[in-house]
Amino acid sequence: IASDWNLKGFRFPVQWVNRPHNPTNQTFHDFRGVSGQIAGGIVRTGQKLIALPAGVVTTVRQIWTYDGPVAEAFCPQSVTLVLDHDIDLSRGSMLVGTDHLPGTSRNLQAEICWMHPVALRRGKKYLLKHTTQTVSVVVTEILHKLNIATLDPEPEPAELAMNDLGGIRLHAAQPLYFDGYTTNRLTGSFILIEPGTNATVAAGLLAPPSEVIKPEF
């Protein structure tokens, strides 16, 4: 399954900002890096990246791993990137390469597996966890339910019951930066969480985005 990793478009969802300030160790004096798991592509020192959602272009100064600095890293390694610019980044931000750009939208289409005893209905609100970002979403439409016996889609069902597979549309409170699942299975997948109980109610695969980001270089 290693062949499933996307090594073309660089994707780096930020998990946390790493600032292990230690005045006695000059190597890490005023150190500031962003840590996370590479979700796609390859990164090298000196490479230009775009910080999202700010849209700021920066350059990779250093790449740190548990074993020390390296010249390059690739999906699915976990690393800390030191950037040339002090950009306002936090958990949920994403660094991407300047080529093979991701899509962005608040309106999402996905195939899901519903995993909760209470059926999914149109108009319900959930939390959507995508990479390191969690946003509020509302189900705007149930497109179809997959007939397991025939594998044919049944259009416009009233609901999706437990263990049903189907297509839905969602509207998010803020834009997501993502790829279609067939392009990148890490940035093209998500889970739905029920607010209050924190129960995972569904797992989903995102359809390819209708438009990619348009950064200003």
Side-chain angles (χ1 to χ4, degrees):
I1 62 172
S3 62
D4 288 346
W5 300 121
N6 185 315
L7 296 178
K8 293 182 179 179
F10 181 70
R11 306 286 185 266
F12 188 75
V14 176
Q15 292 185 359
W16 65 298
V17 178
N18 190 346
R19 303 198 69 174
H21 180 64
N22 186 349
T24 64
N25 188 336
Q26 292 301 312
T27 302
F28 296 105
H29 183 69
D30 268 350
F31 182 94
R32 184 180 188 273
V34 287
S35 301
Q37 182 185 35
I38 300 174
I42 301 171
V43 64
R44 299 176 175 89
T45 54
Q47 181 175 337
K48 290 189 179 298
L49 301 178
I50 305 170
L52 300 173
V56 177
V57 177
T58 186
T59 305
V60 179
R61 186 192 308 166
Q62 296 175 320
I63 305 170
W64 283 86
T65 69
Y66 179 81
D67 298 314
V70 295
E72 69 174 28
F74 51 88
C75 175
Q77 287 180 292
S78 294
V79 299
T80 295
L81 302 181
V82 179
L83 307 174
D84 271 348
H85 302 89
D86 192 7
I87 301 172
D88 183 17
L89 294 168
S90 60
R91 181 178 177 86
S93 301
M94 185 179 288
L95 294 168
V96 302
T98 55
D99 55 357
H100 302 286
L101 296 171
T104 179
S105 182
R106 294 173 61 185
N107 297 305
L108 311 169
Q109 183 171 327
E111 299 290 323
I112 67 165
C113 173
W114 188 251
M115 304 185 294
H116 198 265
V118 180
L120 171 70
R121 290 183 176 272
R122 180 179 175 180
K124 291 282 288 184
K125 295 181 180 179
Y126 297 97
L127 298 175
L128 183 148
K129 187 176 187 305
H130 172 256
T131 62
T132 59
Q133 183 182 23
T134 302
V135 299
S136 297
V137 295
V138 60
V139 180
T140 58
E141 191 175 355
I142 302 178
L143 300 172
H144 63 262
K145 180 174 73 172
L146 188 68
N147 186 314
I148 301 300
T150 65
L151 298 184
D152 293 325
E154 299 174 353
E156 299 181 0
E159 64 182 27
L160 292 180
M162 188 171 183
N163 294 328
D164 278 347
L165 306 175
I168 63 171
R169 285 198 175 102
L170 301 160
H171 182 73
Q174 58 193 68
L176 261 62
Y177 300 96
F178 66 98
D179 302 281
Y181 184 80
T182 55
T183 300
N184 187 315
R185 60 190 178 96
L186 295 180
T187 59
S189 59
F190 65 91
I191 60 171
L192 291 180
I193 302 168
E194 184 178 56
T197 67
N198 284 330
T200 300
V201 296
L205 315 178
L206 289 165
S210 58
E211 61 180 270
V212 300
I213 63 170
K214 298 179 176 62
E216 297 180 2
F217 294 103

